[in-house]
Amino acid sequence: MSEISQLSPKAVWQFFDQICSIPHPSKHEEQLAQFIVEFAKKEGLDVRRDETGNVIIKKPATAGMENRKGVVLQAHIDMVPQKNEETVHDFTKDPIQPYIDGEWVTAKGTTLGADNGMGMASCLAVLAAKDIEHGPLEVLLTIDEEAGMTGAFGLKEGWLEGDILLNTDSEQEGEVYMGCAGGVDGAITLDIKREATPADHQAVKLVLKGLKGGHSGCDIHTGRGNANKLLARFLAGHADELGLRINNFTGGSLRNAIPREASVIVTLPAANVDQLNNLFAHFQALLSAELGHVETDINLFTESAELPADVMVMADQVRLMNVLNVCPNGVIRMSDDIAGVVETSLNMGVITTENDKVIVLCLVRSLTDSGRSYVESMLQSLATLAGAECAFSGTYPGWKPDADSEIMHVFRDMYQEMYGNKPNIMVIHAGLECGLFKEPYPEMDMLSFGPTIKFPHSPDEKVKIDTVQMFWDQMIAVLKNIPIKK
């Protein structure tokens, strides 16, 4: 047990401490899922796995609460695996190392997994508690939310009996969500040919790192730099004058995380290396002037590299630079209906180079189907102009707000009674699983809430300690105030 296990509320923090000790990045959640199944069995609870791998646990109502509407508490099991470059960590084998940093809990050099580990810990704490009043209760823990919402896509009708679903995947205390963006993954694939590296060339690796990164939904409007876009901007501006030839471009690691780092291996005439270093240093100064209020640790540098045997033929190099430079990224449109909320965005998340192709992975988000379709068409047009292929997959729906939501009114009134002010009723630009749950369970009433988590999907991720207590108090209170089933 780490130092966080002594924080309040102890039940929640102790479960979160256990969660941190068991590796559970996306696609590798089975060990944690088995731990949860064994916990439920020891508690004498009904626990099942559906064919997708989701965990569903049922707990009977406490005495006198049998007539309340059934509630489903929901969280996802997986976490985003991101680490600082100097951190040695295997997310499939090594535990997360949480620690207290003032008012926050964060992790040593990696993502913390508070997204959605705090929500999962609270669900398990409710299941373990003997003194919390609640009606018929189910806990749904889904797999693979961060890498494609596989668990939510696979959930079938008939597995859940509840009337109300409380999603615990929100990240700002005092904000309660009743709607979210939908999204789709886009992949642009450029076929490339190679030729022998010019004989008089020297190899250099251009590296851009130190950006804040973050969640491509929650943080897309903050003005943070995209490492892929910034490095592509340098290449587009200076490749010709320096005689650069590209061997490999690599950037980002997740399509739903703003890229923090990118690098490119280039060759160029040895006589131009000093000019390259000067221009790259000037580019750092330029970016610091443009982004310095947001990106305080931006770092650009060059290092020597082994001379590669080949480089991209010039025509394909030019196509690649143009695609990366012109590809839309960031906020496309703000919502007209909900002040301060992004309607449509795109994150150019991952660039990988193989021997005969370069793949650019993007994530499009939008509160509207038409907005999503528009950005899809932009990417398709870009690919067509570049002679590339563009494919879309993993489309998931948004969650349309319901102004008549009974549970939203219950939560709002309860919150005001507890704190003397109403919560902010919000629509979030991030993707929540609620939109997918609405397909097999269209009549289920839903809301999403949670503690304050900053910088999810990045190694700067942290959760504010006092808001975990508030989140827990709200969960206990809302379970007690669930309406009678008529």
Side-chain angles (χ1 to χ4, degrees), residues 59-356:
K59 185 179 181 182
T62 54
M65 301 280 285
E66 295 87 354
N67 63 344
R68 303 300 179 96
K69 288 187 174 182
V71 172
V72 180
L73 296 178
Q74 189 269 322
H76 62 80
I77 300 175
D78 61 318
M79 66 170 286
V80 169
Q82 288 277 284
K83 66 182 183 69
N84 292 322
E85 186 178 34
E86 66 274 10
T87 300
V88 178
H89 188 94
D90 184 340
F91 283 94
T92 66
K93 298 177 181 178
D94 300 331
I96 301 299
Q97 299 181 54
Y99 68 94
I100 299 170
D101 183 14
E103 298 178 324
W104 302 83
V105 167
T106 188
K108 295 180 180 179
T110 71
T111 36
L112 173 64
D115 171 16
N116 186 211
M118 292 307 316
M120 183 167 32
S122 69
C123 293
L124 299 180
V126 170
L127 290 174
K130 311 302 180 188
D131 58 350
I132 295 177
E133 297 179 75
H134 58 80
L137 186 67
E138 297 166 278
V139 167
L140 169 64
L141 303 176
T142 52
I143 65 163
D144 199 34
E145 189 268 352
E146 300 288 7
M149 295 195 178
T150 304
F153 270 111
L155 184 66
K156 300 292 194 299
E157 60 181 334
W159 281 86
L160 301 176
E161 299 175 354
D163 308 287
I164 295 166
L165 185 138
L166 303 178
N167 171 279
T168 63
D169 198 14
S170 295
E171 292 160 355
Q172 181 63 51
E173 196 288 315
E175 295 181 354
V176 184
Y177 295 94
M178 58 183 298
C180 71
V184 64
D185 295 333
I188 297 175
T189 302
L190 295 93
D191 292 329
I192 57 172
K193 292 183 175 62
R194 293 182 178 271
E195 62 186 17
T197 301
D200 62 338
H201 274 212
Q202 183 172 325
V204 176
K205 185 176 183 180
L206 307 178
V207 181
L208 191 160
K209 60 169 54 177
L211 301 182
K212 292 187 182 299
H215 193 295
S216 70
C218 299
D219 299 319
I220 200 70
H221 64 290
T222 60
R224 297 180 184 184
N226 180 311
N228 291 333
K229 289 290 295 182
L230 295 178
L231 200 50
R233 172 179 168 183
F234 178 83
L235 293 174
H238 299 291
D240 285 348
E241 65 177 299
L242 292 169
L244 297 182
R245 301 300 300 274
I246 298 174
N247 169 262
N248 181 292
F249 193 123
T250 301
S253 59
L254 295 167
R255 93 265 188 262
N256 60 352
I258 300 170
R260 304 168 59 245
E261 301 175 355
S263 64
V264 58
I265 295 175
V266 298
T267 71
L268 73 166
N272 293 346
V273 171
D274 287 344
Q275 185 184 2
L276 168 62
N277 290 330
N278 290 336
L279 286 171
F280 211 48
H282 175 74
F283 190 54
Q284 164 140 3
L286 183 150
L287 293 182
S288 295
E290 288 184 359
L291 305 175
H293 289 294
V294 177
E295 298 291 0
T296 56
D297 296 313
I298 188 168
N299 184 22
L300 283 72
F301 58 90
T302 63
E303 56 187 34
S304 60
E306 183 178 348
L307 190 69
D310 55 46
V311 293
M312 299 177 192
V313 300
M314 184 58 74
D316 292 341
Q317 173 175 309
V318 170
R319 286 193 307 133
L320 173 63
M321 289 190 303
N322 285 332
V323 165
L324 298 183
N325 196 39
V326 79
C327 183
N329 181 78
V331 175
I332 304 297
R333 179 176 172 79
M334 298 297 290
S335 174
D336 292 329
D337 299 321
I338 309 164
V341 173
V342 178
E343 178 202 89
T344 305
S345 73
L346 183 145
N347 180 52
M348 194 170 82
V350 184
I351 300 173
T352 55
T353 302
E354 300 179 10
N355 184 58
D356 60 351

Side-chain angles (χ1 to χ4, degrees), residues 369-481:
D369 289 343
S370 60
R372 187 188 71 227
S373 296
Y374 171 52
V375 179
E376 287 183 39
S377 72
M378 293 169 67
L379 292 178
Q380 185 64 67
S381 295
L382 173 60
T384 299
L385 288 171
E389 295 294 324
C390 186
F392 298 96
S393 62
T395 304
Y396 59 91
W399 168 26
K400 185 178 181 180
D402 177 9
D404 298 321
S405 167
E406 182 180 34
I407 189 58
M408 182 59 70
H409 290 293
V410 168
F411 192 97
R412 180 196 61 196
D413 295 344
M414 174 212 75
Y415 191 97
Q416 184 169 24
E417 184 176 341
M418 292 174 70
Y419 304 115
N421 58 278
K422 294 180 180 179
N424 294 320
I425 309 301
M426 306 282 290
V427 173
I428 191 171
H429 187 61
L432 295 173
E433 294 166 290
C434 297
L436 288 168
F437 298 150
K438 277 287 187 180
E439 295 191 344
Y441 301 96
E443 302 304 317
M444 194 173 282
D445 198 4
M446 302 181 183
L447 66 76
S448 179
F449 70 121
T452 296
I453 299 170
K454 295 296 186 184
F455 316 126
H457 298 193
S458 84
D460 297 323
E461 182 185 7
K462 58 184 181 178
V463 58
K464 197 163 188 288
I465 294 169
D466 62 347
T467 67
V468 176
Q469 181 69 62
M470 296 174 74
F471 170 54
W472 178 244
D473 293 342
Q474 292 159 25
M475 180 171 287
I476 293 172
V478 75
L479 289 174
K480 183 178 180 179
N481 287 281

